[in-house]
Amino acid sequence: MIGIRRGRVITPRHGEIDFSRDDISIEICQQLYEEDFPYLAITEEGKKELYGAEPDLVVSESDPVFEHLPPAEENPDELKTSIPIKRKYKK
Amino acid sequence: MSIEFTDINKNLPNGENMGGINQKVYFGFHADVASWPTKPVNPLTLEANATLTGDLTMKTGKRMFELYITDDTGEFNIETVGEVDAKSFVQHLNFFHPGLQKKILGFMNAAKNDNLVFIVVDAEGQKYLMGDSMRPATYQGAPDGNGTGKETAARKGMSAEFTYKTANNHVYGGSIPLTESVSG
């Protein structure tokens, strides 16, 4: 259930249902879900069982692979890079 | 107006047309409602023009409550009011609750000057929502009195009348949450 504690609700078609009970039939739950009953959400397992639907893929935004460079400084002639440059000096 | 008129025939499913309302009415504070069903917008049919869409839901920690009424004392009545070109409706709910217990006295104390919402169910199960996002149902008085009565055979208890002013009359097809809402 979503948005409400498990308990009594007067439903449009089935009258009063006490959702704290564990013996509510799947058919009633399916009808309520299909009639946009606001307090029931379907699980991925339920979607697969009732509608044969594959679970939705959840794509989450990952961390950026590269870090952003700091803002450019005032001296444009100086080349900035994120890779340290090794300089060779003549002895 | 884009609505289409149709024939309105005698339509009594299963021959049913009992009067009166159920022995329970449902009530809550108007301020505790989180969302209201929507009224018809540019409906195409007569039936759609009298149908609310969606559910009344309550704010977190709030719910609707039921109130028992003595059989054959409850009435839902629609009064037409207003001048020409300004007609509207006042819905009336009248009922009698038996006894003078503290709960019903406390309810009347709390309800008499506050804004409420009621859901009334008629004998065929059709529901009427008294209240919307703009207007509540309010207490008007005790049409059949409050008190003990005179004789021992008198009916002791509380009567009450609540009204709701509305531009149109609608049927509510949603649910009635008798359990507290929770967030999420």
Side-chain angles (χ1 to χ4, degrees):
Chain A
M1 293 204 76
I2 54 168
I4 199 169
R5 290 191 196 283
R6 289 170 65 105
R8 297 188 305 145
V9 179
I10 310 289
T11 64
R13 189 192 294 216
H14 302 287
E16 182 174 322
I17 297 177
D18 186 347
F19 287 93
S20 65
R21 294 168 52 169
D22 293 327
D23 59 352
I24 303 165
S25 72
I26 295 291
E27 289 75 21
I28 287 178
C29 292
Q30 185 176 6
Q31 279 184 358
L32 289 169
Y33 171 71
E34 291 176 352
E35 292 169 357
D36 296 326
F37 185 67
Y39 306 115
L40 273 184
I42 193 166
T43 61
E44 294 299 331
E45 190 181 4
K47 280 183 191 172
K48 194 172 182 181
E49 177 73 24
L50 296 175
Y51 305 108
E54 291 297 321
D56 293 336
L57 288 176
V58 178
V59 179
S60 59
E61 191 175 340
S62 60
D63 292 332
V65 177
F66 300 103
E67 288 184 7
H68 294 288
L69 287 172
E73 293 178 10
E74 288 184 359
N75 184 358
D77 297 332
E78 188 180 351
L79 177 65
K80 291 279 186 180
T81 172
S82 59
I83 304 169
I85 298 172
K86 290 182 180 177
R87 298 187 181 195
K88 293 180 180 177
Y89 297 97
K90 291 179 181 177
K91 292 182 180 176
Chain B
M1 211 172 185
S2 59
I3 196 165
E4 293 276 346
F5 272 163
T6 55
D7 295 327
I8 305 171
N9 301 315
K10 184 176 182 180
N11 178 23
L12 304 176
N14 305 313
E16 295 178 8
N17 193 25
M18 271 176 59
I21 63 174
N22 274 5
Q23 281 187 266
K24 287 177 184 172
V25 294
Y26 303 93
F27 68 95
F29 278 117
H30 185 270
D32 290 345
V33 177
S35 66
W36 298 86
T38 55
K39 296 178 180 179
V41 179
N42 297 323
L44 298 178
T45 67
L46 293 177
E47 289 189 341
N49 196 29
T51 305
L52 296 173
T53 303
D55 289 72
L56 174 143
T57 62
M58 305 299 283
K59 292 177 181 173
T60 300
K62 307 298 182 184
R63 69 179 181 96
M64 293 287 285
F65 300 86
E66 59 189 21
L67 191 154
Y68 172 86
I69 62 176
T70 300
D71 197 18
D72 287 347
T73 68
E75 181 180 16
F76 175 74
N77 190 32
I78 299 169
E79 176 192 6
T80 306
V81 297
E83 303 295 324
V84 175
D85 287 345
K87 296 289 185 187
S88 62
F89 303 98
V90 179
Q91 297 180 352
H92 298 254
L93 169 64
N94 292 283
F95 59 80
F96 182 87
H97 178 86
L100 293 173
Q101 276 72 30
K102 291 176 184 172
K103 270 188 185 176
I104 190 66
L105 292 171
F107 168 74
M108 299 309 292
N109 290 343
K112 68 183 186 302
N113 288 320
D114 215 322
N115 292 337
L116 302 184
V117 55
F118 279 88
I119 297 174
V120 183
V121 186
D122 73 13
E124 264 76 57
Q126 186 157 288
K127 298 193 286 287
Y128 308 92
L129 176 60
M130 294 177 68
D132 59 35
S133 61
M134 305 287 287
R135 286 190 168 278
T138 54
Y139 179 71
Q140 299 302 319
D144 296 320
N146 298 324
T148 62
K150 289 180 182 174
E151 311 87 16
T152 54
R155 190 168 60 179
K156 182 169 73 173
M158 305 281 287
S159 70
E161 178 182 19
F162 290 86
T163 61
Y164 159 60
K165 298 171 185 171
T166 179
N168 287 318
N169 295 300
H170 303 105
V171 170
Y172 175 60
S175 55
I176 307 172
L178 298 177
T179 305
E180 285 176 14
S181 291
V182 293
S183 59

PDB file of all heavy atoms in Angstrom, chain B residues 86-112:
ATOM      1  N   ALA B  86     -28.384  33.207 -12.431  1.00  0.00           N
ATOM      2  CA  ALA B  86     -27.378  33.035 -11.365  1.00  0.00           C
ATOM      3  C   ALA B  86     -27.777  31.871 -10.467  1.00  0.00           C
ATOM      4  O   ALA B  86     -27.565  31.906  -9.260  1.00  0.00           O
ATOM      5  CB  ALA B  86     -27.238  34.312 -10.557  1.00  0.00           C
ATOM      6  N   LYS B  87     -28.358  30.861 -11.076  1.00  0.00           N
ATOM      7  CA  LYS B  87     -28.830  29.707 -10.293  1.00  0.00           C
ATOM      8  C   LYS B  87     -27.666  28.845  -9.821  1.00  0.00           C
ATOM      9  O   LYS B  87     -26.671  28.661 -10.530  1.00  0.00           O
ATOM     10  CB  LYS B  87     -29.776  28.848 -11.141  1.00  0.00           C
ATOM     11  CG  LYS B  87     -31.065  29.550 -11.564  1.00  0.00           C
ATOM     12  CD  LYS B  87     -31.995  29.737 -10.383  1.00  0.00           C
ATOM     13  CE  LYS B  87     -33.317  30.327 -10.841  1.00  0.00           C
ATOM     14  NZ  LYS B  87     -34.183  30.681  -9.696  1.00  0.00           N
ATOM     15  N   SER B  88     -27.824  28.319  -8.641  1.00  0.00           N
ATOM     16  CA  SER B  88     -26.864  27.341  -8.129  1.00  0.00           C
ATOM     17  C   SER B  88     -27.600  26.449  -7.141  1.00  0.00           C
ATOM     18  O   SER B  88     -28.836  26.475  -7.080  1.00  0.00           O
ATOM     19  CB  SER B  88     -25.671  28.046  -7.461  1.00  0.00           C
ATOM     20  OG  SER B  88     -26.117  28.816  -6.359  1.00  0.00           O
ATOM     21  N   PHE B  89     -26.871  25.660  -6.376  1.00  0.00           N
ATOM     22  CA  PHE B  89     -27.501  24.674  -5.506  1.00  0.00           C
ATOM     23  C   PHE B  89     -26.944  24.754  -4.085  1.00  0.00           C
ATOM     24  O   PHE B  89     -25.787  25.125  -3.879  1.00  0.00           O
ATOM     25  CB  PHE B  89     -27.268  23.258  -6.036  1.00  0.00           C
ATOM     26  CG  PHE B  89     -27.748  23.057  -7.445  1.00  0.00           C
ATOM     27  CD1 PHE B  89     -26.870  23.137  -8.515  1.00  0.00           C
ATOM     28  CD2 PHE B  89     -29.090  22.802  -7.711  1.00  0.00           C
ATOM     29  CE1 PHE B  89     -27.307  22.964  -9.816  1.00  0.00           C
ATOM     30  CE2 PHE B  89     -29.536  22.637  -9.005  1.00  0.00           C
ATOM     31  CZ  PHE B  89     -28.642  22.715 -10.067  1.00  0.00           C
ATOM     32  N   VAL B  90     -27.792  24.374  -3.150  1.00  0.00           N
ATOM     33  CA  VAL B  90     -27.339  24.138  -1.781  1.00  0.00           C
ATOM     34  C   VAL B  90     -27.708  22.703  -1.436  1.00  0.00           C
ATOM     35  O   VAL B  90     -28.882  22.322  -1.485  1.00  0.00           O
ATOM     36  CB  VAL B  90     -27.992  25.106  -0.772  1.00  0.00           C
ATOM     37  CG1 VAL B  90     -27.501  24.784   0.646  1.00  0.00           C
ATOM     38  CG2 VAL B  90     -27.666  26.542  -1.122  1.00  0.00           C
ATOM     39  N   GLN B  91     -26.701  21.915  -1.131  1.00  0.00           N
ATOM     40  CA  GLN B  91     -26.951  20.524  -0.726  1.00  0.00           C
ATOM     41  C   GLN B  91     -27.118  20.484   0.793  1.00  0.00           C
ATOM     42  O   GLN B  91     -26.321  21.080   1.528  1.00  0.00           O
ATOM     43  CB  GLN B  91     -25.794  19.634  -1.164  1.00  0.00           C
ATOM     44  CG  GLN B  91     -25.621  19.588  -2.674  1.00  0.00           C
ATOM     45  CD  GLN B  91     -24.469  18.696  -3.112  1.00  0.00           C
ATOM     46  OE1 GLN B  91     -23.692  18.213  -2.281  1.00  0.00           O
ATOM     47  NE2 GLN B  91     -24.351  18.480  -4.408  1.00  0.00           N
ATOM     48  N   HIS B  92     -28.142  19.763   1.231  1.00  0.00           N
ATOM     49  CA  HIS B  92     -28.449  19.647   2.658  1.00  0.00           C
ATOM     50  C   HIS B  92     -28.267  18.200   3.107  1.00  0.00           C
ATOM     51  O   HIS B  92     -28.745  17.285   2.434  1.00  0.00           O
ATOM     52  CB  HIS B  92     -29.902  20.054   2.935  1.00  0.00           C
ATOM     53  CG  HIS B  92     -30.219  21.473   2.587  1.00  0.00           C
ATOM     54  ND1 HIS B  92     -30.402  22.457   3.553  1.00  0.00           N
ATOM     55  CD2 HIS B  92     -30.379  22.082   1.393  1.00  0.00           C
ATOM     56  CE1 HIS B  92     -30.677  23.613   2.949  1.00  0.00           C
ATOM     57  NE2 HIS B  92     -30.672  23.404   1.644  1.00  0.00           N
ATOM     58  N   LEU B  93     -27.623  18.011   4.223  1.00  0.00           N
ATOM     59  CA  LEU B  93     -27.549  16.697   4.875  1.00  0.00           C
ATOM     60  C   LEU B  93     -28.193  16.821   6.256  1.00  0.00           C
ATOM     61  O   LEU B  93     -27.763  17.646   7.068  1.00  0.00           O
ATOM     62  CB  LEU B  93     -26.092  16.249   5.022  1.00  0.00           C
ATOM     63  CG  LEU B  93     -25.863  15.035   5.921  1.00  0.00           C
ATOM     64  CD1 LEU B  93     -26.527  13.787   5.333  1.00  0.00           C
ATOM     65  CD2 LEU B  93     -24.370  14.793   6.132  1.00  0.00           C
ATOM     66  N   ASN B  94     -29.221  16.027   6.479  1.00  0.00           N
ATOM     67  CA  ASN B  94     -29.891  15.995   7.788  1.00  0.00           C
ATOM     68  C   ASN B  94     -29.793  14.589   8.362  1.00  0.00           C
ATOM     69  O   ASN B  94     -29.937  13.606   7.621  1.00  0.00           O
ATOM     70  CB  ASN B  94     -31.373  16.367   7.645  1.00  0.00           C
ATOM     71  CG  ASN B  94     -31.554  17.805   7.254  1.00  0.00           C
ATOM     72  OD1 ASN B  94     -31.429  18.719   8.051  1.00  0.00           O
ATOM     73  ND2 ASN B  94     -31.852  18.022   5.981  1.00  0.00           N
ATOM     74  N   PHE B  95     -29.584  14.492   9.670  1.00  0.00           N
ATOM     75  CA  PHE B  95     -29.548  13.156  10.294  1.00  0.00           C
ATOM     76  C   PHE B  95     -29.810  13.275  11.790  1.00  0.00           C
ATOM     77  O   PHE B  95     -29.806  14.372  12.369  1.00  0.00           O
ATOM     78  CB  PHE B  95     -28.205  12.455  10.048  1.00  0.00           C
ATOM     79  CG  PHE B  95     -27.000  13.194  10.560  1.00  0.00           C
ATOM     80  CD1 PHE B  95     -26.647  13.148  11.901  1.00  0.00           C
ATOM     81  CD2 PHE B  95     -26.214  13.936   9.691  1.00  0.00           C
ATOM     82  CE1 PHE B  95     -25.537  13.821  12.376  1.00  0.00           C
ATOM     83  CE2 PHE B  95     -25.096  14.619  10.162  1.00  0.00           C
ATOM     84  CZ  PHE B  95     -24.760  14.552  11.491  1.00  0.00           C
ATOM     85  N   PHE B  96     -30.052  12.123  12.391  1.00  0.00           N
ATOM     86  CA  PHE B  96     -30.233  12.034  13.843  1.00  0.00           C
ATOM     87  C   PHE B  96     -29.303  10.959  14.370  1.00  0.00           C
ATOM     88  O   PHE B  96     -29.269   9.834  13.847  1.00  0.00           O
ATOM     89  CB  PHE B  96     -31.686  11.677  14.178  1.00  0.00           C
ATOM     90  CG  PHE B  96     -31.965  11.610  15.647  1.00  0.00           C
ATOM     91  CD1 PHE B  96     -32.328  12.748  16.363  1.00  0.00           C
ATOM     92  CD2 PHE B  96     -31.857  10.404  16.330  1.00  0.00           C
ATOM     93  CE1 PHE B  96     -32.571  12.683  17.727  1.00  0.00           C
ATOM     94  CE2 PHE B  96     -32.102  10.331  17.697  1.00  0.00           C
ATOM     95  CZ  PHE B  96     -32.461  11.477  18.397  1.00  0.00           C
ATOM     96  N   HIS B  97     -28.540  11.312  15.390  1.00  0.00           N
ATOM     97  CA  HIS B  97     -27.655  10.343  16.042  1.00  0.00           C
ATOM     98  C   HIS B  97     -28.218  10.051  17.433  1.00  0.00           C
ATOM     99  O   HIS B  97     -28.476  10.983  18.210  1.00  0.00           O
ATOM    100  CB  HIS B  97     -26.239  10.902  16.167  1.00  0.00           C
ATOM    101  CG  HIS B  97     -25.301   9.981  16.873  1.00  0.00           C
ATOM    102  ND1 HIS B  97     -24.615   8.980  16.215  1.00  0.00           N
ATOM    103  CD2 HIS B  97     -24.947   9.895  18.172  1.00  0.00           C
ATOM    104  CE1 HIS B  97     -23.877   8.316  17.097  1.00  0.00           C
ATOM    105  NE2 HIS B  97     -24.065   8.854  18.289  1.00  0.00           N
ATOM    106  N   PRO B  98     -28.442   8.778  17.761  1.00  0.00           N
ATOM    107  CA  PRO B  98     -29.080   8.455  19.042  1.00  0.00           C
ATOM    108  C   PRO B  98     -28.139   8.661  20.233  1.00  0.00           C
ATOM    109  O   PRO B  98     -26.943   8.423  20.146  1.00  0.00           O
ATOM    110  CB  PRO B  98     -29.427   6.979  18.884  1.00  0.00           C
ATOM    111  CG  PRO B  98     -28.388   6.452  17.952  1.00  0.00           C
ATOM    112  CD  PRO B  98     -28.088   7.567  17.002  1.00  0.00           C
ATOM    113  N   GLY B  99     -28.713   9.096  21.349  1.00  0.00           N
ATOM    114  CA  GLY B  99     -27.930   9.227  22.579  1.00  0.00           C
ATOM    115  C   GLY B  99     -27.271  10.592  22.704  1.00  0.00           C
ATOM    116  O   GLY B  99     -27.188  11.365  21.743  1.00  0.00           O
ATOM    117  N   LEU B 100     -26.839  10.852  23.928  1.00  0.00           N
ATOM    118  CA  LEU B 100     -26.145  12.121  24.207  1.00  0.00           C
ATOM    119  C   LEU B 100     -24.766  11.834  24.803  1.00  0.00           C
ATOM    120  O   LEU B 100     -24.342  12.462  25.765  1.00  0.00           O
ATOM    121  CB  LEU B 100     -26.974  12.980  25.164  1.00  0.00           C
ATOM    122  CG  LEU B 100     -28.293  13.514  24.611  1.00  0.00           C
ATOM    123  CD1 LEU B 100     -29.103  14.201  25.710  1.00  0.00           C
ATOM    124  CD2 LEU B 100     -28.040  14.490  23.461  1.00  0.00           C
ATOM    125  N   GLN B 101     -24.104  10.855  24.217  1.00  0.00           N
ATOM    126  CA  GLN B 101     -22.789  10.491  24.729  1.00  0.00           C
ATOM    127  C   GLN B 101     -21.773  11.602  24.447  1.00  0.00           C
ATOM    128  O   GLN B 101     -21.978  12.466  23.594  1.00  0.00           O
ATOM    129  CB  GLN B 101     -22.315   9.173  24.093  1.00  0.00           C
ATOM    130  CG  GLN B 101     -22.856   7.925  24.792  1.00  0.00           C
ATOM    131  CD  GLN B 101     -24.334   7.720  24.512  1.00  0.00           C
ATOM    132  OE1 GLN B 101     -24.812   8.113  23.456  1.00  0.00           O
ATOM    133  NE2 GLN B 101     -25.055   7.116  25.442  1.00  0.00           N
ATOM    134  N   LYS B 102     -20.670  11.533  25.176  1.00  0.00           N
ATOM    135  CA  LYS B 102     -19.667  12.594  25.085  1.00  0.00           C
ATOM    136  C   LYS B 102     -19.103  12.740  23.672  1.00  0.00           C
ATOM    137  O   LYS B 102     -18.768  13.841  23.237  1.00  0.00           O
ATOM    138  CB  LYS B 102     -18.529  12.331  26.071  1.00  0.00           C
ATOM    139  CG  LYS B 102     -18.957  12.494  27.527  1.00  0.00           C
ATOM    140  CD  LYS B 102     -17.816  12.123  28.459  1.00  0.00           C
ATOM    141  CE  LYS B 102     -18.268  12.197  29.909  1.00  0.00           C
ATOM    142  NZ  LYS B 102     -17.235  11.665  30.827  1.00  0.00           N
ATOM    143  N   LYS B 103     -18.997  11.603  22.943  1.00  0.00           N
ATOM    144  CA  LYS B 103     -18.409  11.687  21.603  1.00  0.00           C
ATOM    145  C   LYS B 103     -19.236  12.565  20.682  1.00  0.00           C
ATOM    146  O   LYS B 103     -18.704  13.403  19.960  1.00  0.00           O
ATOM    147  CB  LYS B 103     -18.288  10.280  20.992  1.00  0.00           C
ATOM    148  CG  LYS B 103     -16.988   9.581  21.276  1.00  0.00           C
ATOM    149  CD  LYS B 103     -16.885   8.307  20.467  1.00  0.00           C
ATOM    150  CE  LYS B 103     -15.629   7.544  20.838  1.00  0.00           C
ATOM    151  NZ  LYS B 103     -15.560   6.252  20.127  1.00  0.00           N
ATOM    152  N   ILE B 104     -20.561  12.358  20.691  1.00  0.00           N
ATOM    153  CA  ILE B 104     -21.395  13.130  19.768  1.00  0.00           C
ATOM    154  C   ILE B 104     -21.499  14.584  20.244  1.00  0.00           C
ATOM    155  O   ILE B 104     -21.527  15.505  19.425  1.00  0.00           O
ATOM    156  CB  ILE B 104     -22.786  12.472  19.570  1.00  0.00           C
ATOM    157  CG1 ILE B 104     -23.528  13.173  18.407  1.00  0.00           C
ATOM    158  CG2 ILE B 104     -23.621  12.525  20.841  1.00  0.00           C
ATOM    159  CD1 ILE B 104     -22.912  12.986  17.059  1.00  0.00           C
ATOM    160  N   LEU B 105     -21.514  14.780  21.563  1.00  0.00           N
ATOM    161  CA  LEU B 105     -21.510  16.160  22.071  1.00  0.00           C
ATOM    162  C   LEU B 105     -20.210  16.869  21.676  1.00  0.00           C
ATOM    163  O   LEU B 105     -20.219  18.024  21.240  1.00  0.00           O
ATOM    164  CB  LEU B 105     -21.674  16.166  23.590  1.00  0.00           C
ATOM    165  CG  LEU B 105     -23.035  15.706  24.129  1.00  0.00           C
ATOM    166  CD1 LEU B 105     -22.986  15.562  25.649  1.00  0.00           C
ATOM    167  CD2 LEU B 105     -24.137  16.677  23.738  1.00  0.00           C
ATOM    168  N   GLY B 106     -19.118  16.154  21.810  1.00  0.00           N
ATOM    169  CA  GLY B 106     -17.824  16.732  21.435  1.00  0.00           C
ATOM    170  C   GLY B 106     -17.740  17.007  19.947  1.00  0.00           C
ATOM    171  O   GLY B 106     -17.152  18.013  19.522  1.00  0.00           O
ATOM    172  N   PHE B 107     -18.334  16.109  19.155  1.00  0.00           N
ATOM    173  CA  PHE B 107     -18.340  16.331  17.705  1.00  0.00           C
ATOM    174  C   PHE B 107     -19.097  17.616  17.365  1.00  0.00           C
ATOM    175  O   PHE B 107     -18.619  18.442  16.573  1.00  0.00           O
ATOM    176  CB  PHE B 107     -18.985  15.145  16.982  1.00  0.00           C
ATOM    177  CG  PHE B 107     -19.283  15.417  15.531  1.00  0.00           C
ATOM    178  CD1 PHE B 107     -18.267  15.449  14.597  1.00  0.00           C
ATOM    179  CD2 PHE B 107     -20.584  15.651  15.103  1.00  0.00           C
ATOM    180  CE1 PHE B 107     -18.536  15.727  13.245  1.00  0.00           C
ATOM    181  CE2 PHE B 107     -20.863  15.927  13.770  1.00  0.00           C
ATOM    182  CZ  PHE B 107     -19.838  15.964  12.843  1.00  0.00           C
ATOM    183  N   MET B 108     -20.272  17.795  17.971  1.00  0.00           N
ATOM    184  CA  MET B 108     -21.050  18.997  17.671  1.00  0.00           C
ATOM    185  C   MET B 108     -20.329  20.248  18.160  1.00  0.00           C
ATOM    186  O   MET B 108     -20.364  21.285  17.493  1.00  0.00           O
ATOM    187  CB  MET B 108     -22.441  18.906  18.315  1.00  0.00           C
ATOM    188  CG  MET B 108     -23.265  17.730  17.818  1.00  0.00           C
ATOM    189  SD  MET B 108     -23.366  17.600  16.029  1.00  0.00           S
ATOM    190  CE  MET B 108     -24.322  19.029  15.650  1.00  0.00           C
ATOM    191  N   ASN B 109     -19.667  20.134  19.316  1.00  0.00           N
ATOM    192  CA  ASN B 109     -18.880  21.275  19.809  1.00  0.00           C
ATOM    193  C   ASN B 109     -17.794  21.672  18.811  1.00  0.00           C
ATOM    194  O   ASN B 109     -17.550  22.855  18.554  1.00  0.00           O
ATOM    195  CB  ASN B 109     -18.214  20.930  21.147  1.00  0.00           C
ATOM    196  CG  ASN B 109     -19.217  20.812  22.285  1.00  0.00           C
ATOM    197  OD1 ASN B 109     -20.345  21.282  22.163  1.00  0.00           O
ATOM    198  ND2 ASN B 109     -18.825  20.159  23.367  1.00  0.00           N
ATOM    199  N   ALA B 110     -17.139  20.656  18.240  1.00  0.00           N
ATOM    200  CA  ALA B 110     -16.029  20.932  17.315  1.00  0.00           C
ATOM    201  C   ALA B 110     -16.526  21.362  15.942  1.00  0.00           C
ATOM    202  O   ALA B 110     -15.873  22.155  15.268  1.00  0.00           O
ATOM    203  CB  ALA B 110     -15.153  19.685  17.189  1.00  0.00           C
ATOM    204  N   ALA B 111     -17.685  20.825  15.531  1.00  0.00           N
ATOM    205  CA  ALA B 111     -18.133  21.025  14.149  1.00  0.00           C
ATOM    206  C   ALA B 111     -18.927  22.310  13.948  1.00  0.00           C
ATOM    207  O   ALA B 111     -18.989  22.818  12.829  1.00  0.00           O
ATOM    208  CB  ALA B 111     -18.992  19.829  13.717  1.00  0.00           C
ATOM    209  N   LYS B 112     -19.499  22.833  15.011  1.00  0.00           N
ATOM    210  CA  LYS B 112     -20.508  23.884  14.835  1.00  0.00           C
ATOM    211  C   LYS B 112     -19.978  25.143  14.156  1.00  0.00           C
ATOM    212  O   LYS B 112     -20.718  25.825  13.447  1.00  0.00           O
ATOM    213  CB  LYS B 112     -21.146  24.246  16.184  1.00  0.00           C
ATOM    214  CG  LYS B 112     -20.194  24.945  17.158  1.00  0.00           C
ATOM    215  CD  LYS B 112     -20.877  25.205  18.478  1.00  0.00           C
ATOM    216  CE  LYS B 112     -20.005  26.026  19.412  1.00  0.00           C
ATOM    217  NZ  LYS B 112     -18.687  25.402  19.701  1.00  0.00           N
TER     218      LYS B 112
END
